[in-house]
Amino acid sequence: MNITLIAGARPNFVKIAPIIRAIENANSKGSNIQYRLVHTGQHYDANMSDEFFKELNIPRPDINLGCGGGTQTEQTAAIMVSFEKDLARNPANLVMVVGDVNSTMACSIVAKKMMVKVAHVEAGIRSWDLTMPEEINRMVTDVLSDYYFTTSETANNNLIRLGARKEQIFFVGNVMVDTLLFNMSRFRKPSFYDKFNIKPGNYFVLTLHRPTNVDNPDTLRAIITEIVTNVHGLPVVFPIHPRTARIFSHLNIYADNLILVDPLGYLEFNYLVQNSKAVITDSGGVTEETTMMGIPCMTLRDNTERPETCTIGTNELLGTDPKAIKPSLDRLFEGRWKKGGIPELWDGKAAERIIEALLSL
Ligand code: UDP
């Protein structure tokens, strides 16, 4: 078996790490799975890319296509052009893509047009919101995929409704959870923690990067103001995504309790989350991690492709109106946030199941 694995952006690196570990484990027990790791270069800042390879022990990519920046279309097109050449030079019998970023969709299209089978990890999840570029990436990737590795029954049902056959779908659990559980004992206190006198259970973590929240300066200002003024003076640690930082730098927001930091490495970020009072976010992956760690999570979106984080986990959708933030914070401070449970098969063994399934094909 000869697999090309695709990773391009921060959440991809978190998802690919346990898959590579599972391949290596299978090979150490006698399997013969050849793999190449292609980094598309979609994320290229050291703290959005290199740091994750180091911390999560991901091997050096066999190639970096260097396709960062540009508009959605420019980036997708650049990845397609480069990956077509790479796949022609290095034939594979399976291209495995993870998640929902532009690299996921671009490489699926290329592989399929070159008659190479496509496996999609985290397939079938849907927000049904076509204003999210990620939703378009999910839809296109799933239409083209031959094998679907899923995180939930909801995803399985979506795929069946969209025409997938049962035998193409493998309900394996969640590779992001694999990474979280595998690394939990290695979480690391960020260096600024003591400097800012942050106390466990007494601060918030904020992450924002969705265009609907961060591209309009007035929206971004309203969200941040609403948060910092309604957290009873507790610190709000805000590891700022490069996309958000570009807009934030023009806002002139100063608040004593707002602690702005660069994007953190995985081990420090999840230490921060694990010890926080609550997380406010528009990330998808973070809602899964907070569910696993039992940390209250407020999501500033109208919908989610990960409904189990709300129905089972600690997550709640607040919508995109900043006015919804205060009532939810009040409820948290009154001790009325749900406790949450763990979704089915989110047990740290998803990647193992993926490799078992591949070997059985
Ligand atoms: N993350 C991180 N450092 C940060 C912010 C996020 O390591 O400063 C991790 C987080 O733990 C999760 C992933 O990045 O594993 C989520 O990525 P992101 O929010 O960019 O993407 P999404 O999940 O929304 O697609």
Side-chain angles (χ1 to χ4, degrees):
M1 190 181 304
N2 186 358
I3 308 179
T4 294
L5 297 167
I6 307 296
R10 178 169 70 182
N12 282 179
F13 309 138
V14 178
K15 290 166 198 173
I16 212 89
I19 297 174
I20 294 178
R21 200 168 51 249
I23 293 177
E24 301 281 4
N25 279 343
N27 283 349
S28 73
K29 290 178 191 146
S31 301
N32 181 17
I33 307 172
Q34 310 287 323
Y35 72 91
R36 273 184 96 243
L37 177 57
V38 173
H39 187 329
T40 63
Q42 187 178 330
H43 278 170
Y44 47 85
D45 292 342
N47 53 14
M48 298 293 285
S49 174
D50 301 6
E51 191 63 25
F52 287 78
F53 280 78
K54 271 189 242 145
E55 286 193 338
L56 302 179
N57 293 317
I58 306 171
R60 229 183 126 79
D62 292 275
I63 187 167
N64 188 320
L65 304 179
C67 300
T71 63
Q72 291 280 326
T73 302
E74 283 165 347
Q75 187 173 79
T76 304
I79 296 170
M80 287 180 69
V81 171
S82 297
F83 182 55
E84 183 183 45
K85 293 193 182 105
D86 183 72
L87 189 58
R89 272 196 301 264
N90 303 281
N93 45 30
L94 183 76
V95 169
M96 180 174 276
V97 296
V98 298
D100 55 20
V101 300
N102 290 342
S103 308
T104 313
M105 177 182 73
C107 294
S108 320
I109 298 173
V110 170
K112 203 63 192 166
K113 292 213 172 191
M114 293 174 76
M115 311 240 193
V116 179
K117 289 211 176 335
V118 176
H120 185 200
V121 175
E122 205 186 82
I125 61 175
R126 291 290 186 278
S127 65
W128 310 112
D129 175 359
L130 284 167
T131 65
M132 287 179 77
E134 294 87 350
E135 183 69 2
I136 298 171
N137 295 338
R138 289 180 201 118
M139 290 173 69
V140 174
T141 304
D142 281 341
V143 164
L144 299 175
S145 293
D146 298 275
Y147 307 115
Y148 304 98
F149 294 105
T150 64
T151 51
S152 67
E153 284 292 0
T154 314
N156 300 342
N157 294 335
N158 289 339
L159 289 167
I160 294 287
R161 270 170 44 205
L162 296 165
R165 282 175 285 112
K166 268 207 164 105
E167 58 273 22
Q168 295 177 286
I169 303 173
F170 301 87
F171 177 26
V172 290
N174 190 325
V175 285
M176 203 153 215
V177 169
D178 290 9
T179 296
L180 190 79
L181 296 179
F182 187 79
N183 290 289
M184 217 168 232
S185 60
R186 303 173 61 222
F187 288 171
R188 208 170 50 222
K189 193 198 271 192
S191 52
F192 60 79
Y193 204 87
D194 294 330
K195 183 173 127 201
F196 288 114
N197 203 16
I198 299 172
K199 297 275 182 279
N202 268 317
Y203 64 91
F204 287 77
V205 178
L206 172 64
T207 83
L208 294 171
H209 68 282
R210 300 267 167 240
T212 43
N213 287 326
V214 307
D215 282 3
N216 179 328
D218 294 335
T219 309
L220 183 58
R221 180 183 288 105
I223 290 172
I224 294 174
T225 308
E226 202 62 20
I227 293 170
V228 292
T229 52
N230 288 297
V231 287
H232 299 201
L234 293 183
V236 176
V237 185
F238 186 17
I240 192 159
H241 191 281
R243 178 189 187 103
T244 314
R246 283 193 285 276
I247 293 123
F248 185 87
S249 61
H250 302 292
L251 290 184
N252 296 322
I253 293 182
Y254 299 100
D256 285 345
N257 59 336
L258 183 63
I259 301 175
L260 265 192
V261 293
D262 285 333
L264 294 168
Y266 183 83
L267 301 177
E268 293 193 337
F269 179 75
N270 282 292
Y271 179 98
L272 203 61
V273 170
Q274 191 180 36
N275 290 285
S276 67
K277 183 171 184 66
V279 172
I280 306 174
T281 190
D282 58 13
S283 160
V286 171
T287 65
E288 299 180 333
E289 291 161 347
T290 45
T291 278
M292 290 304 297
M293 293 191 271
I295 298 294
C297 182
M298 303 177 185
T299 296
L300 303 181
R301 287 178 49 191
D302 291 321
N303 46 55
T304 175
E305 61 290 335
R306 294 161 164 91
E308 58 287 343
T309 62
C310 297
T311 53
I312 301 171
T314 53
N315 185 27
E316 202 171 295
L317 293 181
L318 267 51
T320 46
D321 180 357
K323 290 273 168 293
I325 294 171
K326 183 180 180 326
S328 295
L329 285 170
D330 289 347
R331 193 148 42 81
L332 176 78
F333 280 104
E334 287 158 14
R336 292 193 291 121
W337 204 265
K338 59 186 166 181
K339 291 280 170 273
I342 305 292
E344 191 184 353
L345 292 187
W346 289 21
D347 59 0
K349 295 187 177 137
E352 238 172 79
R353 292 188 195 104
I354 291 172
I355 300 308
E356 264 168 36
L358 284 182
L359 288 170
S360 73
L361 286 172

